[in-house]
Amino acid sequence: MIPFYSSVRSRFSVGGDQNIQALALAVIQTEMQAVAALAARIDHQFVAACRLLLACKGRVVVTGMGKSGHIAGKIAATLASTGTPAFFVHPGEASHGDLGMITRQDVVLALSNSGETGEILTILPIIKRLGVPLIALTGNPGSTLAKFATAHIDVAVEQEACPLGLAPTASTTAALVMGDALAVSLLETRGFTRDDFALSHPGGSLGKRLLLQVGDIMHRGGEVPVVSDMVLVGEALLEMTGKKLGMTAVVDGDGRVAGVFTDGDLRRMLEKNLDVHLTRIAEVMTRNCKSVDERMLAAEAMQIMEAKKINALLVVDENNKLLGALNMHDLLRAGIV
């Protein structure tokens, strides 16, 4: 048993609350140390692996057995979502037909802590025959898999977080982190953008935040509250009440936005004892109001509202003519907030 865990057991009663907390902290500490040790492994072999992946004209075939297989699946998913086409192949199934998924244009990324996983070693001759580059992540640089690989990345750990030293814990964490390091290094090197990322994440709130534009959710036409800068405040209030956006756009004689009149402007007006039936809207509206382009991402519009502490925005064209209006409730309904 690992000495650290032995000392934990000697200090606290087995099964006690303090013991449970101490054991959990020991796991975290062990895995932190394993991850920290990876920094020294970002060497020429890591760069060589990245170069192979960047040069790949096909797809990255990621494989691993058992717990390493689960990590391999996650690495494949991360690669695929960040600009490197990839998929997982189970090494056991590969020997029974799934090797047909691998083409001469691909690169194989194999995970095995021991570097001696039988199911992976079985398919190595076929990989060699196809002339497919092989990147290996192992905890044993002297293993068969490491020696066979075109590029080998050492992900060895000093000890597992499991006090028995048996369950893959720190070793799988180290492999996962190194996989993330590969994926993000490739992402940056390729110049992968937010728009590229959005194309592979169209669903859910993430897709909405990345893809949805102001023009997709703004109010248009007769739904937009708008009055001339010549009207009295009373008329503007009727427009606000009818359109229920908590404000109204104010336009000049050429149809360009001159300002906006909001609930806040109304409160400030009443504090000054101004008569809504005698006061022109141009005297109390907010001039130089914040407006946005309909092609702006809805998430960016939300950030503007939060920064300016406002609940609505006018949408204008390049000539400052009114196109629509957007408020916080629209963003909520669209799932942006």
Side-chain angles (χ1 to χ4, degrees), residues 277-306:
H277 301 296
L278 299 175
T279 307
R280 284 181 50 216
I281 194 72
E283 299 173 31
V284 291
M285 68 183 182
T286 298
R287 297 181 182 273
N288 302 315
C289 59
K290 186 64 182 178
S291 60
V292 296
D293 186 283
E294 65 176 332
R295 293 163 295 185
M296 175 183 285
L297 289 175
E300 293 182 74
M302 181 192 71
Q303 291 174 349
I304 291 173
M305 287 186 191
E306 291 177 336

Side-chain angles (χ1 to χ4, degrees), residues 260-289:
V260 67
F261 185 76
T262 68
D263 292 336
D265 292 316
L266 176 61
R267 286 193 297 272
R268 286 186 286 274
M269 176 185 168
L270 295 177
E271 287 173 358
K272 296 177 182 178
N273 294 317
L274 296 175
D275 192 327
V276 299
H277 301 296
L278 299 175
T279 307
R280 284 181 50 216
I281 194 72
E283 299 173 31
V284 291
M285 68 183 182
T286 298
R287 297 181 182 273
N288 302 315
C289 59

